[in-house]
Amino acid sequence: MRPGGMPSSLAVGDVTPAVLAIGRPDFPNILIDTLRGQAGVGHCMVFALNRAGGATCLLDAGNIPIGGDLGAAYAGQFHESDPNRDTLFEGEGGGPIMLPAFAPRMYGARYRKIFFQDSGIIDKCATAIWAGDSCFYVNFYRIAAQGRFTTAQRERLQAIAPAISASVARHFQSKATPEPSLAELFATRAPLASLTPREQEVCRRILAGFSSEAISQGLGISLHSTLTYRKRAYQRLGISSQGELFAIVLQLLTRSLN
C-alpha cells in the first residue's frame, strides 16, 4: 500500500494531465482526452446530485452529438429513475465508488429509448464521489461504432476512477487553479509540509511533468542538486517514484473534499 492507504497497483500518474488541469477552462477537453487514452472512453458526462433531490449536468464531452440533450433530460427528470440512484446516496460521505453496470433492460422504456436507442450508447461505466452536500456522478460511455468496453478497459476505469472522480469534484467544487492548489497542499498538509522549500519546489515540478534537467534549468541549480533534493524528498515521504508522490497528492485532494 502507498501512503494514505492507496493500492500500489494504481498507476495514478497516467491521469496526471487531468489532475493538473483542475480549475482551467480546458479541463473538459483534457479529461476526455485522458479517458480516451487510458480506457477507450468515447463520451463523459458529469452530474451533480444533491440531498434535496435535484440534479445538474456539469460536463458533456465526447462523441455523442445529442449529449447536451441527454444531459438536460437526465437532470430534468430521469435521474429519479436511474438504477444507480440508491447506490449513489448509500455511498454518501464515503470515498470514490465504482458503480455497478446495468443492462439496458433494467431501465424503463422511455429511459431506454432516449439514453440508449436514440443516442447510440451501447455501454456505460460510472463512478461517483460526495463532496460536501453534492454527489459528483461521473459517467463513461461507448457508442455502437466503438463497441462495448473490453474487460481490460473496464479494469482500467476501475483503477483510475478514484483519481478521475476526485479531480472532477475538485474542479467543479472550487474552480481553483492547479498551481495554487498544489502550493497550498505542500505548505499546509502533512506529509508534504515536512519537506524543505527547495524539496517542495522540485516535487511540484516533478508532478507537472518536468524532467530533472528542466527542473535544474528552471530553478537555476545543478542537475546533481536537483537529484539530491528529489532523493531527500522521497526519503522523507517514504516513497520511491513519481507515481507514489502523485498518490499522496491525490489522497490529500480526496480527503479535502468532505
Side-chain angles (χ1 to χ4, degrees):
M1 298 287 286
R2 287 185 175 145
M6 185 165 290
S8 59
S9 61
L10 179 56
V12 290
D14 292 338
V15 297
T16 301
V19 175
L20 295 180
I22 292 170
R24 287 172 17 198
D26 59 349
F27 177 81
N29 292 333
I30 292 179
L31 177 65
I32 191 63
D33 286 346
T34 300
L35 291 170
R36 284 171 176 159
Q38 290 300 311
V41 173
H43 200 94
C44 178
M45 298 187 76
V46 177
F47 299 94
L49 308 178
N50 60 55
R51 295 188 181 96
T56 304
C57 182
L58 300 175
L59 185 146
D60 163 42
N63 61 2
I64 301 176
I66 64 169
D69 293 336
L70 296 180
Y74 183 88
Q77 67 179 99
F78 286 98
H79 63 93
E80 297 175 352
S81 56
D82 188 337
N84 274 322
R85 187 174 180 84
D86 289 343
T87 304
L88 289 170
F89 282 88
E90 287 170 1
E92 182 177 351
I97 55 173
M98 197 70 186
L99 294 156
F102 293 95
R105 65 177 180 275
M106 300 291 290
Y107 297 82
R110 288 189 64 212
Y111 199 119
R112 261 198 324 273
K113 182 179 187 306
I114 294 173
F115 291 92
F116 293 98
Q117 297 169 10
D118 294 349
S119 67
I121 294 172
I122 64 167
D123 208 359
K124 168 190 170 182
C125 293
T127 183
I129 187 171
W130 279 87
D133 292 332
S134 297
C135 176
F136 293 91
Y137 182 24
V138 189
N139 295 267
F140 314 112
Y141 306 100
R142 281 171 68 91
I143 60 175
Q146 295 177 289
R148 299 180 64 84
F149 285 110
T150 66
T151 299
Q153 288 168 335
R154 285 184 176 276
E155 291 175 349
R156 186 68 194 134
L157 278 174
Q158 186 168 4
I160 66 176
I164 294 300
S165 57
S167 299
V168 165
R170 173 57 60 191
H171 174 77
F172 288 107
Q173 185 186 45
S174 67
K175 294 291 186 180
T177 54
E179 185 61 16
S181 184
L182 284 178
E184 182 180 357
L185 287 179
F186 274 93
T188 63
R189 303 292 295 276
L192 300 178
S194 67
L195 303 179
T196 67
R198 186 63 91 182
E199 289 167 355
Q200 291 183 10
E201 289 176 342
V202 168
C203 285
R204 283 163 57 188
R205 283 166 172 76
I206 289 172
L207 288 168
F210 288 101
S211 67
S212 296
E213 290 78 6
I215 294 172
S216 300
Q217 293 177 2
L219 296 179
I221 60 178
S222 69
L223 177 59
H224 175 74
S225 294
T226 295
L227 296 176
T228 298
Y229 287 126
R230 184 184 68 183
K231 179 180 179 181
R232 289 177 181 171
Y234 283 8
Q235 287 175 339
R236 291 181 197 273
L237 298 173
I239 61 175
S240 60
S241 69
Q242 177 194 11
E244 290 176 297
L245 175 62
F246 188 88
I248 293 175
V249 172
L250 175 63
Q251 191 74 22
L252 292 175
L253 284 173
T254 303
R255 287 176 181 173
S256 67
L257 291 173
N258 294 291

